[in-house]
Amino acid sequence: MACEITHSINGVRLGSEWATVQRGTSYLAGVSVSRNVVTVAGRQGSVPSAMRPQFEERRVEIVLNAWGGRFAEEVSRVCRLAASGRVTLGRTVNGVSQEAYAELVGIGETENDLPQVEQVTLTFALPGVWWRSPAALTMELPIDGGEITPPAGPAITNGKGWWTRALGEPDNSPSVLANFVTMPLGPKDDSPSLLYTGIPEGFFGDAPIMDAILRFPATATAATFADPVSGTGISWQGAAGSGYTYLDCGTLTAWRSADTDAWDGGTAIVGVDYPAPGPLQINPSLDGGYTLKASVTGATDGVVAVHFKQSWW
């Protein structure tokens, strides 16, 4: 099955009857790693840092081919969109919408001798590095953390491809046999469910999530969250309150609210800190799943909610 990709700028599709985006454009834009290289006199090579890679701003090139009697109009339209100021670059990969804030770096053309044919190259910088989902997911975890999204691959790994569950008393009631599992895509019993037999690679994302917002009961007086892959984390300590405490891993701020969906802010509080490896970034593990370790003091029940936009290469 062919991979279908379309591109847009600020929601306006680039391809048209008179123009098409060259296949392969921007799918995996190159990115450099920021490294601090330490050398020792008389020693070959460098000293291993044992640090996870930190990526620099990346650049995306979109090549547009315009032709026919309206090629000049298409070139004008695309250049106007690219230079419109605040740009949201969008792409749809096999029906999955992804977007990124972008800044125009340059517009170029490729010389050719064909009449009424023009090839334009748009170059954008992505300060945030990753492609993101337009809308955020909210996943609820136990108070001590756990799996945010399941790993890629088959859902049932018992070697049989199916599972059973008693519909009443164990060993004394009918059983249901299924070759699928379900999971909520948000708060339990209050969100759509996903029914699946397996998770494709990259379905929930495959890149670090740098700006998750965490919510936990405000009865807590301390909370620590960590990414088991990178060792990064975020913590909060302060007086107990009512409602919910929120931590923003992107801005390193915290607030309180009586609402369960106050993701845009509330009553500001202090007490945010992070460990030596850096502020929390949630990375996919080797199996493709995302997990979060949590330790919450003072709250014996409730959940930890993770509010995030998916992140892709």
Side-chain angles (χ1 to χ4, degrees):
M1 178 178 175
C3 181
E4 297 183 6
I5 304 175
T6 61
H7 299 80
S8 65
I9 294 178
N10 292 343
V12 180
R13 183 167 174 169
L14 293 183
S16 72
E17 181 182 357
W18 302 96
T20 183
V21 175
Q22 186 166 301
R23 184 162 183 80
T25 288
S26 84
Y27 180 70
L28 184 61
V31 60
S32 299
V33 175
S34 178
R35 298 179 63 227
N36 291 320
V37 179
V38 178
T39 59
V40 177
R43 178 176 174 177
Q44 301 182 50
S46 61
V47 179
S49 67
M51 299 290 291
R52 288 186 62 82
Q54 299 297 315
F55 296 98
E56 298 177 350
E57 171 185 279
R58 75 198 306 186
R59 293 192 174 187
V60 167
E61 287 190 349
I62 297 180
V63 181
L64 186 91
N65 297 307
W67 65 86
R70 294 180 56 183
F71 83 95
E73 294 179 42
E74 286 299 314
V75 170
S76 176
R77 180 181 72 92
V78 169
C79 290
R80 169 174 52 82
L81 290 172
S84 59
R86 185 174 179 84
V87 171
T88 297
L89 202 59
R91 70 178 186 182
T92 302
V93 182
N94 288 337
V96 178
S97 296
Q98 304 172 5
E99 64 180 27
Y101 170 73
E103 297 178 358
L104 181 64
V105 174
I107 300 175
E109 68 170 349
T110 300
E111 292 185 5
N112 67 78
D113 297 325
L114 299 176
Q116 296 187 338
V117 174
E118 187 75 9
Q119 186 176 81
V120 179
T121 300
L122 309 175
T123 304
F124 294 94
L126 303 188
V129 184
W130 315 114
W131 294 95
R132 309 300 300 276
S133 58
L137 291 176
T138 301
M139 307 298 279
E140 293 186 341
L141 316 180
I143 201 69
D144 58 351
E147 182 181 271
I148 301 173
T149 62
I156 302 169
T157 57
N158 59 11
K160 301 176 181 179
W162 48 266
W163 60 273
T164 61
R165 184 178 67 184
L167 293 177
E169 181 182 352
D171 302 322
N172 192 32
S173 64
S175 295
V176 61
L177 183 150
N179 66 344
F180 61 87
V181 297
T182 62
M183 62 171 288
L185 291 175
K188 185 179 180 182
D189 300 326
D190 191 27
S191 63
S193 291
L194 174 68
L195 183 151
Y196 64 97
T197 57
I199 298 294
E201 287 286 348
F203 183 81
F204 285 107
D206 52 20
I209 299 168
M210 313 290 291
D211 51 6
I213 301 176
L214 311 177
R215 186 197 73 210
F216 54 94
T219 54
T221 56
T224 300
F225 304 95
D227 172 41
V229 177
S230 65
T232 58
I234 192 170
S235 61
W236 174 86
Q237 186 170 355
S242 59
Y244 303 92
T245 299
Y246 292 80
L247 293 183
D248 188 325
C249 301
T251 61
L252 300 178
T253 57
W255 61 89
R256 285 254 171 84
S257 176
D259 300 325
T260 58
D261 58 353
W263 306 112
D264 294 326
T267 302
I269 55 176
V270 297
V272 180
D273 200 357
Y274 58 89
L280 180 67
Q281 54 171 289
I282 307 174
N283 290 265
S285 58
L286 294 178
D287 62 15
Y290 290 81
T291 59
L292 180 70
K293 297 167 65 175
S295 174
V296 181
T297 302
T300 57
D301 56 8
V303 299
V304 170
V306 184
H307 185 75
F308 65 99
K309 288 187 174 184
Q310 294 155 268
S311 186
W312 289 279
W313 275 88

